[in-house]
Amino acid sequence: VLILSLLVTAWLGIQIGSLKLNNDPDIWAPRQHEFSKTTRELTKVFGGRNVIVIGVYPKSGDIYDTQILQKIRNIQRGIEAMPEAIQHNVTSLAAKRVKDIAGSSEGMVVGDMLRDLPRTPADMQRLKEAIARNPVYIDSLVTADGRAAAIVADFRVEGEAAQYAPVYEKVMALIVKEQDDSVTFRLGGQPVNAANFEYAMQKMPVYFGVAFLIIMVVQYLTFRSFQGMLLPMLTGILAVIWSLGLLALGRINLDALNTTTPILIMAVATGHAIQILKRYDEELQRIFCEGLVDRHEASRQAVVTSLQRVAPVMLTAGLIAALAFFSMTYSDVDMIRNFGIFSGCGILAAMVIELTLIPALRSTLPGRPNANVKGPDALDRALHRVGEWLTQPKTAKVILGVSALAI
């Protein structure tokens, strides 16, 4: 059993390397809903879903400065060269599609707003006049007072491993090249928020580690033994590894909800493990009190007895919990469905491990008599009285009646 469990763990652990992060907004919405379908179709044709707005703020003066306008042009061209960019949706004063439309005696004259960088005060004045006679660009690409300008860029981020951080990092690299003491850049928009959300998700292993340490300390304080501390944690860790491996085999990527699920799986797995461990300790001390001296034999008997008493209850509770999570697979929202699959697999993995590997491992370890075993304390006696009261027929009728009235 030990060797087989190790082989399964190693095989599933290898699969984890193929997992990727999927931050596609589509997984947050019902995929078959008409609004979702319409959104996907409009995005496919026109874009407009992943817009980054870059604010350009000169630290002194206004944007009508050759150096500032050069920075806007450089960022414009850099974004247009990105494969993720939707070129016709990248707009600034330096964009070719931003035109100066002026009336003349013969009709109208159309030219690029920023075809050539202004080098003289006269050239700069002509640019100001061009923007003034095309008010559509005021407060969209440049403020009315000229103290700030905007670069608006749209990107395609889609697929089963959609990530915004790479796009954000490429845009930031362009900005860093232009950053100096003369200007401040500010970024906003869905890709910026999503990228920083991905950075937050990458911190989940840290939160998992904190939860791991907290659970481990609580278990040591409860059982006062390294075996009582480590074996439940081993159940939790292996359950997480198995469920992540199964997720990879099912070609389901991690998302915003699933990155927190390992903490849930570990908590549930250690909780089930503690139930059997507590019963094991009780049976072990009973066997020692009956006079059995062989610590290995005592441990083996305690394992068998504790499984006979607790395993049916644990199987029932675990199966109910797993089926409840698996019921989420009927959801039309990918994120909810993936969460249900991940959580259900984790609980099933915890049950299998706790009923096979952990008993086999525990039976190889010698049992230890607990010299500090005491009789029932005040809490034990109080809970015993509450249990007796709740199980009386009259009490059950009263509780059922009150519950029916409350409902």
Side-chain angles (χ1 to χ4, degrees):
V1 173
L2 295 176
I3 295 175
L4 180 60
S5 299
L6 290 174
L7 291 175
V8 171
T9 302
W11 178 61
L12 291 175
I14 293 173
Q15 310 304 318
I16 296 176
S18 64
L19 285 174
K20 297 180 180 179
L21 180 64
N22 184 5
N23 202 19
D24 187 348
D26 283 340
I27 66 176
W28 293 77
R31 186 167 290 275
Q32 300 305 318
H33 195 282
E34 290 303 319
F35 289 164
S36 299
K37 293 179 180 179
T38 302
T39 299
R40 289 196 296 271
E41 182 63 27
L42 291 174
T43 301
K44 182 179 179 180
V45 177
F46 300 107
R49 188 175 190 177
N50 301 307
V51 175
I52 291 180
V53 179
I54 304 172
V56 184
Y57 296 84
K59 292 184 179 180
S60 62
D62 53 32
I63 63 102
Y64 299 107
D65 179 274
T66 302
Q67 183 182 9
I68 300 298
L69 294 173
Q70 180 66 63
K71 294 178 183 297
I72 294 174
R73 171 176 283 183
N74 292 343
I75 295 174
Q76 170 79 29
R77 291 177 176 177
I79 293 176
E80 288 177 342
M82 292 172 55
E84 301 91 345
I86 304 175
Q87 294 191 5
H88 62 270
N89 284 354
V90 182
T91 308
S92 71
L93 291 177
K96 292 182 179 180
R97 62 195 298 266
V98 175
K99 302 296 184 180
D100 170 24
I101 303 175
S104 68
S105 59
E106 298 179 357
M108 65 180 181
V109 178
V110 179
D112 293 345
M113 183 66 72
L114 201 62
R115 182 179 58 186
D116 298 316
L117 287 175
R119 301 292 180 181
T120 66
D123 291 339
M124 199 66 70
Q125 183 60 35
R126 280 193 289 271
L127 175 61
K128 292 180 180 179
E129 293 173 355
I131 292 175
R133 63 173 167 260
N134 292 274
V136 67
Y137 302 128
I138 297 177
D139 289 333
S140 59
L141 297 181
V142 60
T143 59
D145 59 5
R147 298 301 298 272
I151 304 168
V152 183
D154 191 12
F155 302 89
R156 294 197 187 278
V157 182
E158 55 192 4
E160 295 183 356
Q163 296 185 44
Y164 288 88
V167 172
Y168 173 72
E169 290 167 0
K170 289 180 180 179
V171 173
M172 283 301 301
L174 295 173
I175 290 176
V176 168
K177 290 181 180 179
E178 305 301 327
Q179 183 72 62
D180 56 29
D181 294 335
S182 66
V183 67
T184 298
F185 295 100
R186 297 175 183 172
L187 277 73
Q190 158 67 13
V192 176
N193 296 335
N196 284 277
F197 186 49
E198 290 169 16
Y199 295 145
M201 285 190 283
Q202 292 172 4
K203 297 179 181 178
M204 285 302 167
V206 176
Y207 304 143
F208 181 85
V210 172
F212 180 88
L213 291 175
I214 292 173
I215 295 174
M216 191 165 61
V217 169
V218 170
Q219 290 180 164
Y220 180 77
L221 294 176
T222 301
F223 293 101
R224 298 291 179 177
S225 71
F226 286 103
Q227 184 181 146
M229 175 184 69
L230 296 177
L231 290 182
M233 298 310 300
L234 179 62
T235 302
I237 291 296
L238 292 181
V240 171
I241 293 174
W242 284 26
S243 54
L244 284 171
L246 292 172
L247 208 65
L249 288 174
R251 296 182 179 180
I252 300 174
N253 290 320
L254 292 174
D255 52 49
L257 188 57
N258 274 346
T259 53
T260 63
T261 307
I263 298 177
L264 169 67
I265 294 173
M266 181 177 64
V268 173
T270 53
H272 284 301
I274 288 173
Q275 296 177 32
I276 293 186
L277 180 59
K278 176 63 174 173
R279 188 69 184 193
Y280 164 81
D281 274 350
E282 293 173 353
E283 294 297 333
L284 183 64
Q285 302 312 316
R286 179 187 61 79
I287 292 171
F288 279 131
C289 290
E290 291 177 354
L292 184 61
V293 179
D294 189 333
R295 295 169 61 187
H296 284 88
E297 179 61 23
S299 179
R300 190 191 67 80
Q301 291 186 19
V303 168
V304 173
T305 306
S306 61
L307 283 178
Q308 290 175 343
R309 302 287 178 82
V310 180
V313 178
M314 180 178 158
L315 277 172
T316 302
L319 287 174
I320 290 174
L323 290 174
F325 281 114
F326 283 136
S327 67
M328 297 182 183
T329 58
Y330 289 98
S331 173
D332 192 29
V333 180
D334 290 352
M335 186 176 293
I336 295 177
R337 185 168 61 250
N338 295 343
F339 171 72
I341 294 173
F342 193 6
S343 301
C345 288
I347 292 176
L348 290 180
M351 288 173 46
V352 172
I353 293 167
E354 190 56 36
L355 295 179
T356 56
L357 173 62
I358 300 302
L361 183 59
R362 189 177 288 130
S363 63
T364 63
L365 301 173
R368 187 184 68 173
N370 190 350
N372 298 321
V373 174
K374 301 178 181 179
D377 57 16
L379 179 61
D380 292 329
R381 290 191 294 270
L383 291 175
H384 180 71
R385 286 194 292 270
V386 171
E388 287 185 336
W389 178 75
L390 288 174
T391 54
Q392 291 177 2
K394 293 182 179 179
T395 304
K397 293 179 181 178
V398 171
I399 293 176
L400 290 174
V402 172
S403 301
L405 290 175
I407 295 173

